[in-house]
Amino acid sequence: MSLAVAVVGGLHADARKAAVDRLLADVPGSVVLHHDLATAAAGTVVRTVRDRDGVVSVGETPLVNDCACCALREDLVPELRRLAHDGTTRLAIVELWDSVEPKAMAEVVASGGLTVTSVITAVDPALVLPYLANGDDLAEAGLAAAATDQRTVADTFARQLEYAPVLAVADSPEADDEDRELLAQLHPTAHQVPITPGPLGQAPYRDRQPPTPDARVTPRDVPPAHAQAHGPGAQAPSDTPASAPDAHAPLRGAHAPAPDAPPAHAQGRGPGAQAPSPDKHAPSPQPCAPTPHPHAPSPLAHAALAGFDVEAAAAAQHPACALLPVEADGHGVSTLVWHRRRPFHPERLYAALEDLTCAAARSRGRFWLADKPDTLLHWDAAGGALCVESAGPWLAALPDAAWEMVPPVRRAAAALDWHPAHGDCCNHLVFTSPALDRDGLTRLLESCLLTDAEYAAGRDAWKRLPPAFDTLLEI
């Protein structure tokens, strides 16, 4: 029997644990593998394996280079291989610790020769905006995965959310229409699956006590491990391939546009009757939902086994071909897609960075600086903080012979956006937020572009403009 691996992550710990418990209840022969990085201060990472009846085993693995996340990487694949070899496990649910990002772990699993069938991020809609607005370092929140971890709560949550093709969404009574709209606009191509309640009588995972490390226990001896306290607050999956296990199976070229004209291509890619009352004075009974078949798999179980392409998921995150959100406006939330084929003036853009970064809860994309006309720059902002880094050359800057070394998805994305004079060089930034000032933001962005006279001076003149971003880019 082949082993399917579903990666479930997210900073929203209660939603994550509810999703994991739902999968345990719905998929026969499933187990959960969890590495608790909160014990790293003691020099080890605690590994717990449990099934629907309770804890199966607990062990420890030492830190690698004083890094808990490195220890997780070293230990994860051998444990999954052991589960595959024992022949009784059908689905291994890798429950990631709070701040561990699913992209890295999915790639580790795939590189170990195992089959990743899904990556799921569990989300509480009421917490999306608070987490996106939280610029605290993970270390301040007790969520750092290594001593050198410099990530923030906001940027970590954003990457967890945007990488996963499936979002397991908690039914949060605190969430309103604005919260749900924000989630939908941040990742419009995600397959959202509600987390339905688990079996009656099952105690919450977070209320149980941890077993003793290094012990081999029976399910009746020790309940599942205690959840760790957490800090403050794409495209749709493909149809199930023929080789994927069944969730309820038994165990086993044109005229050149103006330089600042918007792109010609569309932005839309990414994505029982009531019973009669016996008494006319008696109230009519309310219609009820149909009773599901006892062996019917839940939507979350289907999603966990649907199939996952690690290489395609990585390409969808690359700044050159990322599936960015599209224009949207609803329930007080807006997404502005700003696309121009004229480069930014480095000094004017640098002076506006604080206002641009704080203009939206989340913004990302790629941009073009006049003094670095051959370099594709990545824009990634959340929690009031901006990360700018080089993503290599624009495709137009590469010699023709080098194009064969570029992934096909990158060439396809460039072809959709090709300009006769500039190739794929452009500014493509997306801003999503409640109460977004679309007009003010657009005016500010436009003011940072080269003027007509500056643009007409040509590339040689552009390269002599003051290099305002050199310090930020560590050049």
Side-chain angles (χ1 to χ4, degrees):
M1 178 173 62
S2 62
L3 178 68
V5 181
V7 178
V8 181
L11 275 166
H12 298 170
D14 288 344
R16 187 184 71 239
K17 295 180 190 306
V20 167
D21 286 342
R22 181 72 268 170
L23 287 174
L24 275 181
D26 288 349
V27 182
S30 59
V31 300
V32 175
L33 176 61
H34 177 66
H35 289 78
D36 187 352
L37 274 59
T39 60
T44 62
V45 169
V46 174
R47 176 205 328 114
T48 304
V49 179
R50 65 186 180 103
D51 60 19
R52 63 185 301 170
D53 295 319
V55 172
V56 175
S57 68
V58 177
E60 292 183 349
T61 185
L63 300 188
V64 176
N65 299 323
D66 198 32
C67 172
C69 201
C70 299
L72 164 58
R73 291 170 183 261
E74 292 288 327
D75 193 64
L76 180 59
V77 169
E79 280 299 307
L80 289 172
R81 286 176 175 162
R82 182 184 62 78
L83 291 171
H85 291 159
D86 73 13
T88 61
T89 302
R90 199 164 141 268
L91 173 66
I93 306 162
V94 177
E95 183 194 351
L96 301 179
W97 189 69
D98 292 359
S99 68
V100 177
E101 296 186 25
K103 180 178 184 293
M105 292 304 108
E107 292 173 351
V108 165
V109 173
S111 66
L114 296 152
T115 302
V116 180
T117 55
S118 186
V119 173
I120 300 169
T121 293
V123 182
D124 182 338
L127 298 179
V128 171
L129 185 58
Y131 274 62
L132 275 183
N134 190 335
D136 291 346
D137 291 338
L138 290 176
E140 295 174 7
L143 296 171
T148 57
D149 196 340
Q150 297 182 341
R151 296 173 297 157
T152 68
V153 172
D155 62 43
T156 301
F157 173 68
R159 284 189 294 271
Q160 290 177 338
L161 178 73
E162 293 156 4
Y163 177 76
V166 178
L167 300 179
V169 183
D171 183 13
S172 173
E174 291 81 16
D176 57 20
D177 289 341
E178 181 181 282
D179 297 323
R180 297 183 183 90
E181 181 70 21
L182 177 60
L183 180 60
Q185 291 190 27
L186 288 168
H187 196 349
T189 60
H191 177 35
Q192 291 195 24
V193 181
I195 305 172
T196 56
L200 293 176
Q202 181 175 358
Y205 179 29
R206 61 181 180 275
D207 292 340
R208 305 179 186 181
Q209 296 300 313
T212 304
D214 293 318
R216 191 79 186 179
V217 296
T218 64
R220 291 186 298 274
D221 292 334
V222 183
H226 187 278
Q228 298 303 319
H230 54 82
Q235 64 196 44
S238 60
D239 292 334
T240 305
S243 59
D246 183 3
H248 60 281
L251 284 182
R252 57 173 199 290
H255 292 291
D260 56 355
H265 69 280
Q267 295 289 330
R269 52 178 182 124
Q274 178 174 315
S277 173
D279 185 342
K280 65 179 181 179
H281 299 293
S284 299
Q286 295 299 312
C288 58
T291 303
H293 189 279
H295 300 296
S298 69
L300 191 60
H302 265 308
L305 297 167
F308 183 77
D309 188 329
V310 172
E311 291 185 2
Q317 299 302 305
H318 191 280
C321 44
L323 292 174
L324 298 173
V326 297
E327 284 275 348
D329 195 356
H331 297 290
V333 181
S334 293
T335 293
L336 169 68
V337 177
W338 188 80
H339 192 294
R340 297 293 184 272
R341 299 182 186 275
R342 180 176 294 200
F344 280 119
H345 187 286
E347 282 189 318
R348 290 199 293 274
L349 179 61
Y350 191 85
L353 285 183
E354 183 175 355
D355 290 338
L356 291 172
T357 301
C358 296
R362 176 69 171 140
S363 59
R364 53 192 174 120
R366 57 190 181 271
F367 68 104
W368 187 22
L369 273 183
D371 65 317
K372 296 173 176 53
D374 295 331
T375 302
L376 190 161
L377 294 169
H378 183 205
W379 177 289
D380 188 21
L386 170 67
C387 176
V388 170
E389 57 187 356
S390 169
W394 294 101
L395 198 59
L398 295 176
D400 292 347
W403 281 39
E404 293 303 317
M405 297 182 289
V406 176
V409 65
R410 170 79 187 272
R411 297 198 299 268
L416 287 171
D417 217 10
W418 200 259
H419 183 281
H422 306 307
D424 56 334
C425 301
C426 67
N427 294 302
H428 186 172
L429 299 175
V430 177
F431 299 80
T432 299
S433 187
L436 187 70
D437 181 4
R438 300 172 64 98
D439 293 339
L441 180 55
T442 299
R443 286 193 298 271
L444 181 58
L445 287 164
E446 301 285 349
S447 72
C448 298
L449 293 172
L450 293 183
T451 64
D452 290 345
E454 291 166 341
Y455 178 82
R459 286 190 169 225
D460 289 341
W462 302 352
K463 292 179 181 179
R464 294 193 295 269
L465 292 170
F469 278 76
D470 281 5
T471 302
L472 194 60
L473 293 168
E474 299 179 352
I475 295 176

